[in-house]
Amino acid sequence: MATPPLRTAVAMAATEFGDPGKVLAPLTVDIPAPGPRQVVVQVRAAGVNPIDGKITRGLFGADPATLPRRIGSEAAGIVTAVGDGARYFAPDEADRREICVGDEVIVYRAVGGYAQALLADDSAVHAKPAALDFPVAAGLLLTGVTAADLIGAVAVAADDTVVVHGGAGAVGSIAVQLALRLGADVVATAAPRNHEFLERLGAVPVVYGDGLAERIRDASVGPVTVALDTVGTDEAVDSSLALGVPPTRIASIAAFQRADDGIVLLDGSGAEGKRRRAEAIAGLIADATSGDLIVEIAKTFPLTQAGAALDELAGPHPRGKFVLLP
Ligand SMILES: NC(=O)c1ccc[n+]([C@@H]2O[C@H](COP(=O)([O-])OP(=O)(O)OC[C@H]3O[C@@H](n4cnc5c(N)ncnc54)[C@H](OP(=O)(O)O)[C@@H]3O)[C@@H](O)[C@H]2O)c1
């Protein structure tokens, strides 16, 4: 028998702006009936991302009037209620299929994904294949579309030699795989404990830190032509420039302090970035389901441990996605 839909749900929310472990607290929230083109999803897993910690710390605005603020950018679960005309996201409007109660779905971008249930606009709802585990589904899309944006923004191609800064991270490990699939040679920076993983993917691992540009040069087969930065340190940008990569082929999702260098900064805004990210979704889901794309889960946490998960993610942490299980 189908589980009856929840009328209220526990949701993790920032009660003030600060360190997630201190300020994220469980709230009991009502679950409204979905309006037109909305659905209610019972969450089975919620992906944990660094941006959730940055929002909680107030780095994207700290207006007290927005508190309590529900946190969580992506989730996967089961549809429990469907509003009028709700249809799955598709880049082409004509391809949008009807969403039904009982469907297994991914919600990205979610608003308030750290919850037992959430209300979502249908434009954020994607069909989850049954063979794709809920935790992987919940941790796939934010990092996946970002990696695809990095690759597309600088048009990585088979004749490129690419350095990926932070190649064992959640975004970096997908960027490494996408670049390799295009036929590029890939050097990737990571802590030594992650080198064997990068070798398994097919990349040449290099330790970050002093002397990075020389190590990358020694490790690469030819001149480095593209740098994809998922770390945002000056070292990542400076070493890329020192290797002679033109700023127009250095793409970063985190080095926003280096805008004056003329590098390509990506935050998902702008028509091109939105298009690249939207067009990547179906392929990411298909490849994660078939196993052609490796998405590791490092750890799962109970929903109420969201703050601890985000605090751990902000420092050195095990490789792979952190996922909350409501
Ligand atoms: N602009 C956007 O659209 C966008 C989208 C998604 C994410 N982001 C941002 O991108 C960053 C990465 O996100 P993520 O989810 O991939 O995080 P993540 O899984 O924590 O990966 C970050 C990786 O950086 C590596 N690292 C740490 N310190 C380093 C250093 N000094 N030099 C080189 N590498 C270092 C770590 O690798 P080791 O463990 O090997 O040390 C870690 O795995 C975050 O700041 C996030 O907010 C931006």
Side-chain angles (χ1 to χ4, degrees):
M1 206 170 73
T3 324
L6 298 170
R7 290 181 182 280
T8 63
V10 173
M12 298 302 290
T15 52
E16 55 187 305
F17 293 104
D19 287 339
K22 295 199 180 105
V23 304
L24 276 189
L27 295 184
T28 300
V29 296
D30 289 333
I31 302 170
R37 302 201 73 162
Q38 290 185 321
V39 299
V40 172
V41 175
Q42 187 158 345
V43 175
R44 297 285 299 272
V48 179
N49 287 285
I51 193 169
D52 303 334
K54 294 176 187 179
I55 291 169
T56 305
R57 290 186 180 86
L59 302 183
F60 293 97
D63 180 357
T66 62
L67 298 172
R69 178 159 176 169
R70 285 180 59 176
I71 301 295
S73 310
E74 58 182 339
I78 297 170
V79 175
T80 56
V82 179
D84 283 349
R87 294 182 180 278
Y88 283 104
F89 171 82
D92 189 341
E93 184 69 25
D95 295 335
R96 299 186 69 166
R97 290 186 299 108
E98 194 183 344
I99 305 174
C100 299
V101 169
D103 285 1
E104 297 188 357
V105 297
I106 301 173
V107 183
Y108 171 73
R109 281 214 169 208
V111 177
Y114 294 2
Q116 291 174 323
L118 60 83
L119 182 70
D121 289 342
D122 67 352
S123 58
V125 180
H126 315 277
K128 183 192 84 63
L132 185 64
D133 288 349
F134 281 103
V136 175
L140 170 68
L141 285 186
L142 190 149
T143 51
V145 301
T146 306
D149 196 11
L150 278 165
I151 296 279
V154 292
V156 172
D159 57 357
D160 279 315
T161 296
V162 178
V163 59
V164 179
H165 297 280
V171 178
S173 61
I174 299 183
V176 164
Q177 294 177 73
L178 296 180
L180 286 166
R181 189 185 300 172
L182 288 166
D185 290 313
V186 178
V187 177
T189 71
R193 66 178 186 283
N194 292 325
H195 285 197
E196 189 262 327
F197 166 73
L198 287 167
E199 280 168 355
R200 238 187 306 138
L201 293 182
V204 180
V206 166
V207 182
Y208 48 80
D210 284 351
L212 178 59
E214 290 73 45
R215 279 196 300 285
I216 295 171
R217 195 176 284 118
D218 291 348
S220 50
V221 279
V224 178
T225 54
V226 167
L228 306 178
D229 167 41
T230 71
V231 182
T233 54
D234 287 329
E235 177 183 78
V237 178
D238 289 337
S239 60
S240 305
L241 292 168
L243 287 161
V245 183
T248 52
R249 298 206 83 201
I250 300 174
S252 177
I253 55 168
F256 294 99
Q257 79 282 8
R258 298 296 296 263
D260 290 348
D261 291 274
I263 63 174
V264 181
L265 292 168
L266 304 171
D267 64 2
S269 65
E272 277 299 290
K274 285 199 172 99
R275 181 189 56 75
R276 279 193 295 267
R277 291 179 186 222
E279 287 179 352
I281 288 173
L284 289 163
I285 293 172
D287 290 343
T289 305
S290 66
D292 288 340
L293 185 69
I294 295 168
V295 178
E296 293 185 318
I297 303 301
K299 280 173 99 163
T300 59
F301 298 75
L303 176 63
T304 52
Q305 291 301 305
L310 282 173
D311 284 347
E312 185 175 345
L313 193 63
H317 58 80
R319 187 183 68 241
K321 290 295 298 179
F322 287 7
V323 174
L324 305 176
L325 301 179

